[in-house]
Amino acid sequence: MKKLISVMLILVMVLGIIGCSNDTASKDGAEETKKVSETKEKENTTKESKKLELTYALWDKNLQPIYEKIAIEFEKQNPEIDIVIEITPWSDYWTKLEAAASGGVLPDIFWMNGPNITMYADANVVLPITEYVEDDQFDLSNYPQSLVDLYTVNGENYAIPIFWDTIALYYNKEIFDQAGVEYPTDSWTMEDLVQAATELTNPDTGVYGIAAPLDNQQNYYNTIHQAGGYIISDDKKTSGFDDPATIKGIQVWVDMINQGISPTLMELNETNAASLFESGKLAMVYSGSWMYPQYAKNENLAGKFDLEVLPMMEERASVIHGLGACINPATDYPDEAWQFVKFLGSEEANDIFAMEKGGLPAYLPSVNKFIDQESSTGYNVAVFTDQVSYSAMYPNSKHTSKWQAVERDYLKQAYTGEMTVEEACKKIAEEMNGILDKE
């Protein structure tokens, strides 16, 4: 019996040892698994931390989803780079950009427009990219020459064009049908537009025929050129605001307000022209091609509107402009920033922009893809490119913002009847010439 007990005790001890061994082995395995997991996590973290982050600043929230898709395609091809898109509303964009430039915290890549490029280039706030363009044999002939010229300052390239725009007459077919008015045609004159706007204006329903906002690019710059006037001389030394034709080109809009076929400036400040058009309270509106995607996606407006070239006055004209992508000269990653800017200008990125209804892509071979796609939906978007042959470049000089502030202050008084258009234009010319003299 004692012998049997001894054997059992030995078995218990052996099993205990085996059990302890298994526990130890299990713990050791778990520790090993944990270490492997931690190692892998550290490796992944290290890989992630090695990614470069480039910030890309723009102001149009409507285009954010499109640029996010473009950024994703770029990141697939450049997995070591993350693109972070920063949206700042237009009203704050330039103030924020100037503050960032002063504070040395500019985004790596940012949108630039014509009125500001010369000032930013002269202040060394944008990186010259001529050397990158030449080294990579980047073909600028694929873009409208006027846009390439716009972003060339003193012989240096400072931006790659990303998209461009002209202005068109948008009209609500439903309002025209209800009023029994014929749709606009490409032979319309300004007199035709005013006549139609008069017939379409209905105080009972709160519908206006046309809108005359204090908007230079989408309104009076077009009619200034159509009337045979100009904003600034070709050598950028003289204002054209005191030219009689320029005054005539502005007077037509003030007349529309005075005739009651356009909301007043105060009313347009409360509800802008685009919102009135989208809500069915405006029969016609001058809008840029960048507004087309917004109108086409609007539930109240989709399928009810169409487009036509701008009515002519003494001659035809539509203001053309386009944006470029610039690089911060102080970025830590200039080569990588150039890679992204170059991608923004590629056929692949421009095709995405066109197919996603972003507007007119800057890369010319992609433009027809946008026109073909949108024309198939019934919209006459070809008017955007039809007007290029007689388009007028958006004016600029070194300090565009200074004289445009003067322009806006005096024209506001003309639009509200505090002074005549002629008085306002002569004051603008006087002060604008003073600003130009100092450039």
Side-chain angles (χ1 to χ4, degrees):
M1 187 62 182
K2 287 182 179 177
K3 186 177 182 179
L4 178 60
I5 291 172
S6 297
V7 170
M8 291 179 66
L9 286 172
I10 291 171
L11 283 173
V12 168
M13 291 173 66
V14 169
L15 289 171
I17 291 170
I18 291 174
C20 289
S21 299
N22 284 344
D23 286 347
T24 302
S26 178
K27 288 178 181 175
D28 289 345
E31 287 295 327
E32 187 62 28
T33 301
K34 184 179 178 182
K35 286 179 181 176
V36 170
S37 177
E38 288 176 348
T39 301
K40 287 183 177 178
E41 187 176 342
K42 285 180 181 177
E43 288 176 353
N44 289 335
T45 302
T46 302
K47 286 179 183 177
E48 290 292 327
S49 65
K50 285 181 179 177
K51 278 194 171 188
L52 303 180
E53 188 175 277
L54 295 178
T55 49
Y56 177 37
L58 50 144
W59 61 71
D60 193 337
K61 193 173 183 179
N62 289 335
L63 295 181
Q64 182 177 0
I66 298 176
Y67 279 108
E68 285 174 346
K69 288 188 177 181
I70 291 172
I72 288 171
E73 291 306 313
F74 173 78
E75 289 168 351
K76 286 179 183 175
Q77 298 171 30
N78 300 272
E80 75 282 7
I81 301 175
D82 268 344
I83 302 297
V84 178
I85 294 176
E86 296 179 348
I87 301 289
T88 302
W90 166 257
S91 56
D92 300 324
Y93 183 83
W94 298 105
T95 302
K96 183 177 178 180
L97 205 62
E98 287 181 23
S102 300
V105 290
L106 271 176
D108 299 293
I109 302 126
F110 50 94
W111 276 9
M112 179 53 61
N113 67 2
N116 287 293
I117 182 60
T118 304
M119 182 176 67
Y120 275 72
D122 284 352
N124 299 317
V125 182
V126 288
L127 181 73
I129 57 172
T130 306
E131 194 172 325
Y132 281 120
V133 169
E134 292 175 351
D135 288 350
D136 284 0
Q137 297 183 330
F138 191 84
D139 189 359
L140 291 172
S141 68
N142 285 318
Y143 306 88
Q145 187 59 45
S146 57
L147 292 188
V148 175
D149 292 343
L150 183 65
Y151 293 107
T152 302
V153 180
N154 298 325
E156 286 277 7
N157 302 110
Y158 282 94
I160 294 299
I162 49 175
F163 62 86
W164 57 282
D165 45 72
T166 55
I167 311 302
L169 176 66
Y170 293 69
Y171 61 96
N172 186 317
K173 294 187 294 184
E174 196 171 70
I175 296 176
F176 272 74
D177 291 341
Q178 290 170 353
V181 177
E182 295 290 331
Y183 295 159
T185 69
D186 60 3
S187 63
W188 260 27
T189 63
M190 183 56 70
E191 288 74 20
D192 293 324
L193 180 139
V194 171
Q195 177 61 40
T198 303
E199 296 175 23
L200 292 161
T201 299
N202 186 341
D204 294 336
T205 58
V207 171
Y208 285 98
I210 187 72
L214 190 54
D215 186 318
N216 55 27
Q217 186 179 1
Q218 295 185 99
N219 279 73
Y220 59 85
Y221 278 179
N222 297 279
T223 47
I224 285 174
H225 286 290
Q226 289 168 0
Y230 64 102
I231 295 98
I232 187 171
S233 59
D234 291 341
D235 62 6
K236 304 183 188 300
K237 293 183 180 299
T238 309
S239 169
F241 272 91
D242 53 356
D243 185 284
T246 300
I247 296 170
K248 180 180 178 181
I250 297 172
Q251 185 69 56
V252 294
W253 296 106
V254 176
D255 289 345
M256 291 178 194
I257 293 174
N258 292 337
Q259 292 168 29
I261 59 175
S262 164
T264 64
L265 194 58
M266 185 178 293
E267 289 171 326
L268 287 168
N269 286 337
E270 292 174 355
T271 308
N272 64 38
S275 297
L276 288 172
F277 189 61
E278 289 175 320
S279 63
K281 295 297 182 183
L282 195 60
M284 296 181 285
V285 64
Y286 279 30
S287 285
S289 48
W290 66 89
M291 291 302 295
Y292 167 75
Q294 180 173 321
Y295 292 153
K297 292 174 184 175
N298 185 286
E299 291 182 359
N300 294 324
L301 195 58
K304 296 179 182 176
F305 77 94
D306 209 348
L307 310 93
E308 191 47 85
V309 298
L310 296 182
M312 66 180 294
M313 295 176 69
E314 302 302 322
E315 55 192 79
R316 290 200 176 280
S318 177
V319 171
I320 187 172
H321 183 240
L323 301 186
C326 284
I327 298 173
N328 170 8
T331 177
D332 291 332
Y333 312 110
D335 293 343
E336 290 79 5
W338 163 246
Q339 290 303 315
F340 183 58
V341 167
K342 187 169 70 170
F343 186 78
L344 289 172
S346 69
E347 181 173 9
E348 183 177 359
N350 277 264
D351 280 355
I352 293 172
F353 189 84
M355 294 299 101
E356 295 293 329
K357 300 178 182 290
L360 295 169
Y363 188 79
L364 291 172
S366 299
V367 173
N368 286 338
K369 295 175 184 176
F370 170 77
I371 298 297
D372 291 345
Q373 173 183 264
E374 299 308 307
S375 295
S376 68
T377 63
Y379 294 113
N380 184 24
V381 294
V383 297
F384 296 133
T385 51
D386 290 346
Q387 299 179 105
V388 171
S389 62
Y390 50 78
S391 61
M393 178 53 70
Y394 188 88
N396 75 312
S397 70
K398 184 175 181 179
H399 294 297
T400 313
S401 59
K402 287 186 178 179
W403 53 260
Q404 284 190 333
V406 172
E407 171 190 316
R408 186 171 182 81
D409 286 345
Y410 282 113
L411 288 185
K412 182 179 179 182
Q413 297 178 60
Y415 273 54
T416 54
E418 297 172 60
M419 60 195 313
T420 68
V421 173
E422 184 174 357
E423 289 170 343
C425 286
K426 288 183 175 178
K427 291 296 291 183
I428 294 168
E430 180 183 340
E431 295 192 26
M432 181 175 167
N433 283 330
I435 294 169
L436 295 176
D437 282 344
K438 296 176 182 175
E439 291 188 350

